[in-house]
Structure formats: structure tokens, C-alpha cells
């Protein structure tokens, strides 16, 4: 579970949103925090194909449940 993972060479980060940020981050670092009570920072990671920026995946971490949802479309933050 704590092994380092490397994305395939054709996959790129588009942007990341987190509950504590205003707007999206397209560069730099964004942290997702996990707390002992099970709460986590709501985070959405958008990935795209390096050859086709319209080929998007969204990985959404829901803050209250900790569940992860993966979508084949661009998911906007709820707030």
C-alpha cells in the first residue's frame, strides 16, 4: 500500500482541487490530509492522455466517507 507508484508515460496531471484551496492547481504540490477520525481532505485529481487532453479521468476522494470515485469525465468540485 505504501509502495511508490509511477504513472504510465502517456498519463499527465491536468489539475488538482482540494477543499482548502481556492481554484485549481496546475503545477506545484497539493496535499491530501487524512485524519484519525476517518475524515480526509476532499480532493479531485484530473488526469489526461498526453496526446489527447480531452481524454480525461477524474479521481475524487470524498471527505466524509473517504470513498474514491473514478470518472471518465471532468468532475467539478461541489462547492
Amino acid at each position: 500500500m505504501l509502495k511508490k507508484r509511477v504513472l504510465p508515460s502517456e498519463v499527465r496531471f491536468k489539475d488538482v482541487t482540494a477543499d482548502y484551496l481556492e481554484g485549481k492547481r496546475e503545477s506545484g504540490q497539493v496535499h491530501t490530509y487524512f485524519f484519525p477520525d476517518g475524515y480526509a481532505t476532499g480532493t479531485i485529481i484530473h488526469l489526461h492522455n498526453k496526446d489527447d487532453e480531452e481524454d480525461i479521468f477524474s479521481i475524487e476522494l470524498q471527505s466524509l466517507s473517504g470513498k474514491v470515485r473514478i470518472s471518465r469525465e471532468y468532475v467539478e468540485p461541489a462547492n
Side-chain angles (χ1 to χ4, degrees):
M1 187 167 143
L2 298 177
K3 292 180 186 177
K4 182 177 180 177
R5 305 283 188 217
V6 177
L7 292 174
S9 61
E10 64 273 6
V11 177
R12 300 283 190 264
F13 285 93
K14 181 170 182 63
D15 58 52
V16 179
T17 62
D19 288 349
Y20 64 90
L21 295 174
E22 273 191 42
K24 303 169 189 170
R25 293 286 167 93
E26 295 180 356
S27 63
Q29 294 184 356
V30 175
H31 299 276
T32 298
Y33 299 99
F34 296 88
F35 299 95
D37 62 359
Y39 180 81
T41 307
T43 306
I44 303 174
I45 302 167
H46 297 109
L47 304 172
H48 69 87
N49 182 320
K50 75 173 185 174
D51 297 325
D52 181 3
E53 289 196 29
E54 300 302 315
D55 186 12
I56 293 178
F57 277 89
S58 296
I59 303 168
E60 180 180 9
L61 172 63
Q62 299 172 357
S63 59
L64 293 177
S65 66
K67 291 183 180 182
V68 174
R69 187 178 78 177
I70 300 173
S71 303
R72 287 250 351 167
E73 60 189 12
Y74 194 94
V75 174
E76 293 286 350
N79 48 351

